Amino acid sequence: MANKGNKKRRQFSLEEKMKVVEAVDSGKRKGDVAKEFGITPSTLSTFLKDRTKFEKKVREASVGPQRKRMRSALYDDIDKAVFAWFQEIHAKNILVTGSVIRKKALNLANMLGYDNFQASVGWLNRFRDRHGIALKAVCREDTDRLMNGLGIDKVNEWHAGEIIKLIADYSPDDIFNADETGVFFQLLPQHTLAAKGDHCRGGKKAKQRLTALFCCNASGTEKMRPLIVGRSASPRCLKNIHSLPCDYRANQWAWMTRDLFNEWLMQVDARMKRAERRILLLIDNCSAHNMLPRLERIQVGYLPSNCTAVLQPLNLGIIHTMKVLYRSHLLKQILLKLSSREDQEKVDIKQAIDMIAAAWWSVKPSTVVKCWQKAGIIPMEFAECDIESAASEPDTAIEKLWHTVAIATCVPNEVNFQDFVTADDDLIISQDTDTIQGMVAGENTSEAGSEDEGEVSLPEQPKVTVTEAISSVQKLRQFLSTCVDVPDAIFGQLNGIDEYLMKRVTQTLVDSKITDFLQTK
């Protein structure tokens, strides 16, 4: 009896339990299955009784298949939130350490209202065991590490097989890539270190961020209108604004969601149908992209997971170039304020949208082509141009601008312009809405923030009339005439603006009744 009492109880992993159940499902007698796996008939009956529980756990990836117990976490909603975050950054090619997971768990716990939660080492170990996570080395996946690892096989296989089939029926004009990025739109140079590496999943920082979706084709001839996602549906700065250089949407966390991405996809599909075009759209497999609507004119191709750092053209320099141009514009505004001794005001959403769109349209076709070539999707001989000089052209001027502003605003010496540009590269830009909706009571990712919440308190700008706008163009034309070596393209753009305004005002006058003129005299 003593020996029987000291007999060690065997524990089975979920994977082993599934094998037992599958053996029974294959038609074997239960008694034979019990003998084959060395278990008692009562244990077998327990496995069969609980099969739906552990099948669901493994299917939803909420428990690793090697787990031997299905005990839930004490803070189950925090556990789900951290795991959803982990899946998201894993899909975006970011590897993390245990300390990063613990820090993120504390941030999410605060967001969910848990003040007593401690992300201890013990909690981390249990979290890893629950989800079958093996933490490895540290940082964002870079090209060298990927190409030295198993990723080289996956990349080569995709280049040699799937991508050839995908692009076979399309010209470079009709092959597109879409991707999202986060932007701390109010970030100042002196605050770069505080923002660096912040994933910003919610809270106060969510009011200071935007998510932007960009899309361009492989020939560099077409860049689609950006989609900007903010937190406020009706910010004060957009009052009486009816035209923007982009599409603007909002939700509680300023994220890209499945609904927003699918809405954008349907709009692009409709445009392609009207233009009688068919296009190939290459995207990654982040959570916002994995439940697509039925499309008539768009064929969607998914980039291989964990390889987008070397296969996604927008990630290979296009988005980075946009951010360089955006931050440069911010620096110029700061310098103008400093020179006129004006107080530095925070950028509002309207200003940020204008600058992001302007930066996007300013990305050169040569830069776009270079990044598609670097991804190996179009041949190097396509669209020959001086892409190297095009990419490096503004570097010297920007560095001088940064140096001047950095000294004037007391930026730490260890911070450089590239730190300023890449400070928001680690922002999480999408989330599975279904997961979060079940975690945050009373909050919804599809609901935007309130009108005033997080808004910069800038004085309301008076409405500009058409007559005032025409007068401003005339003043601008007069100013340019006093400058030396003004490019013809500038005068051409000014003529386009003047023509648009004149057409608008004359059409209004033509549509007016004769009595309107008589009443004004």
Side-chain angles (χ1 to χ4, degrees):
M1 293 295 291
N3 290 336
K4 184 176 180 179
N6 292 331
K7 184 178 179 180
K8 186 176 181 180
R9 183 179 178 182
R10 181 183 174 187
Q11 290 187 330
F12 295 85
S13 68
L14 295 177
E15 187 177 26
E16 291 171 327
K17 293 175 183 178
M18 290 174 67
K19 288 181 179 179
V20 172
V21 172
E22 289 171 357
V24 175
D25 290 343
S26 68
K28 294 182 180 180
R29 295 176 62 247
K30 292 182 180 179
D32 294 338
V33 172
K35 290 180 181 179
E36 179 183 345
F37 288 91
I39 58 177
T40 63
S42 61
T43 301
L44 175 60
S45 298
T46 302
F47 286 177
L48 295 174
K49 179 182 177 182
D50 294 339
R51 64 181 295 171
T52 55
K53 294 181 181 179
F54 57 77
E55 283 178 348
K56 181 180 179 182
K57 290 283 187 182
V58 174
R59 184 171 63 251
E60 294 178 349
S62 61
V63 173
Q66 304 302 322
R67 279 286 306 282
K68 296 186 177 181
R69 296 187 181 184
M70 291 187 294
R71 184 180 300 166
S72 298
L74 179 60
Y75 297 95
D76 192 48
D77 46 358
I78 297 177
D79 191 270
K80 289 179 180 177
V82 175
F83 187 59
W85 166 80
F86 180 84
Q87 287 179 309
E88 178 67 26
I89 62 173
H90 183 67
K92 297 296 288 185
N93 310 314
I94 303 171
L95 299 180
V96 294
T97 61
S99 61
V100 172
I101 292 179
R102 291 169 63 192
K103 181 178 178 181
K104 178 52 62 177
L106 286 173
N107 291 342
L108 291 172
N110 290 334
M111 188 179 82
L112 293 167
Y114 291 101
D115 298 327
N116 298 325
F117 173 76
Q118 294 183 346
S120 62
V121 174
W123 172 86
L124 175 65
N125 292 334
R126 291 190 294 273
F127 173 80
R128 291 171 55 186
D129 290 342
R130 275 192 294 274
H131 300 289
I133 295 172
L135 298 179
K136 299 180 181 179
V138 196
C139 55
R140 173 178 292 276
E141 167 186 86
D142 57 36
T143 304
D144 293 336
R145 185 166 61 83
L146 175 64
M147 302 310 284
N148 289 330
L150 296 177
I152 180 63
D153 297 328
K154 187 185 292 187
V155 170
N156 288 339
E157 181 181 344
W158 191 73
H159 277 149
E162 186 174 352
I163 187 57
I164 294 178
K165 296 177 183 177
L166 283 173
I167 69 175
D169 298 327
Y170 298 93
S171 73
D173 289 345
D174 295 324
I175 303 173
F176 287 80
N177 176 220
D179 192 31
E180 299 91 351
T181 188
V183 180
F184 278 135
F185 67 95
Q186 294 178 341
L187 180 65
L188 297 175
Q190 59 268 36
H191 299 152
T192 299
L193 282 180
K196 190 75 174 173
D198 192 337
H199 297 292
C200 185
R201 178 76 69 155
K204 184 178 180 180
K205 285 281 183 69
K207 304 172 186 178
Q208 304 166 11
R209 63 159 291 168
L210 299 169
T211 295
L213 179 146
F214 300 106
C215 184
C216 62
N217 67 356
S219 64
T221 58
E222 186 174 352
K223 297 199 293 287
M224 292 191 186
R225 184 182 177 89
L227 170 62
I228 308 293
V229 183
R231 179 180 169 92
S232 176
S234 304
R236 286 192 295 268
C237 59
L238 295 185
K239 185 178 180 181
N240 298 322
I241 300 296
H242 305 293
S243 295
L244 290 170
C246 68
D247 295 323
Y248 178 77
R249 299 290 184 271
N251 60 50
Q252 185 73 19
W253 308 106
W255 287 336
M256 179 59 67
T257 64
R258 290 173 186 166
D259 290 343
L260 290 180
F261 184 73
N262 288 347
E263 178 192 358
W264 176 81
L265 264 183
M266 294 297 289
Q267 291 173 350
V268 175
D269 193 59
R271 288 203 303 272
M272 296 303 153
K273 187 175 182 179
R274 289 193 297 270
E276 298 184 347
R277 292 176 65 187
R278 293 186 180 276
I279 66 170
L280 171 66
L281 179 64
L282 301 176
I283 56 176
D284 59 33
N285 58 356
C286 82
S287 58
H289 300 170
N290 58 17
M291 291 182 65
L292 305 183
R294 181 177 176 274
L295 302 168
E296 296 183 34
R297 299 291 177 139
I298 301 175
Q299 178 184 354
V300 174
Y302 283 101
L303 298 164
S305 59
N306 301 323
C307 296
T308 55
V310 294
L311 291 179
Q312 179 144 255
L314 281 161
N315 279 355
L316 291 173
I318 300 173
I319 287 179
H320 178 78
T321 301
M322 183 282 303
K323 288 193 173 183
V324 167
L325 296 169
Y326 175 76
R327 301 289 187 209
S328 301
H329 198 94
L330 276 178
L331 291 178
K332 292 171 185 174
Q333 283 197 339
I334 293 171
L335 191 59
L336 286 174
K337 293 287 186 181
L338 291 171
S339 63
S340 60
R341 302 187 183 277
E342 295 181 35
D343 292 335
Q344 185 63 46
E345 297 174 340
K346 289 185 178 179
V347 174
D348 64 24
I349 292 176
K350 171 66 167 59
Q351 294 169 327
I353 286 174
D354 289 340
M355 287 190 290
I356 290 172
W360 172 241
W361 300 124
S362 297
V363 176
K364 297 181 179 180
S366 56
T367 301
V368 174
V369 171
K370 178 183 177 181
C371 295
W372 279 88
Q373 291 173 338
K374 189 175 180 181
I377 298 174
I378 61 173
M380 292 300 294
E381 64 270 15
F382 176 76
E384 288 289 346
C385 54
D386 189 9
I387 50 184
E388 290 296 337
S389 60
S392 60
E393 179 184 348
D395 286 357
T396 304
I398 290 175
E399 286 298 335
K400 288 181 179 178
L401 177 63
W402 166 260
H403 183 69
T404 303
V405 174
I407 293 175
T409 57
C410 301
V411 175
N413 292 331
E414 62 268 27
V415 178
N416 58 36
F417 179 65
Q418 284 304 314
D419 293 327
F420 185 45
V421 171
T422 61
D424 43 23
D425 279 2
D426 290 331
L427 288 183
I428 300 302
I429 46 82
S430 67
Q431 183 53 279
D432 184 340
T433 304
D434 296 335
T435 302
I436 296 296
Q437 282 178 341
M439 296 186 303
V440 185
E443 296 190 49
N444 188 321
T445 55
S446 63
E447 293 178 355
S450 64
E451 178 179 341
D452 297 333
E453 188 175 10
E455 273 291 289
V456 182
S457 298
L458 296 177
E460 186 173 345
Q461 298 296 319
K463 187 175 180 179
V464 179
T465 66
V466 176
T467 304
E468 290 171 334
I470 293 174
S471 176
S472 298
V473 172
Q474 292 171 347
K475 288 181 180 179
L476 185 55
R477 193 188 304 277
Q478 184 179 357
F479 168 76
L480 290 175
S481 66
T482 65
C483 300
V484 179
D485 295 331
V486 178
D488 292 340
I490 299 296
F491 286 110
Q493 292 167 355
L494 200 59
N495 290 337
I497 296 172
D498 192 29
E499 183 179 345
Y500 169 79
L501 293 173
M502 292 300 293
K503 182 178 179 180
R504 176 167 179 148
V505 71
T506 53
Q507 187 63 48
T508 302
L509 294 174
V510 168
D511 292 340
S512 300
K513 297 177 182 179
I514 188 65
T515 52
D516 294 335
F517 291 99
L518 296 175
Q519 289 174 357
T520 59
K521 292 186 176 181

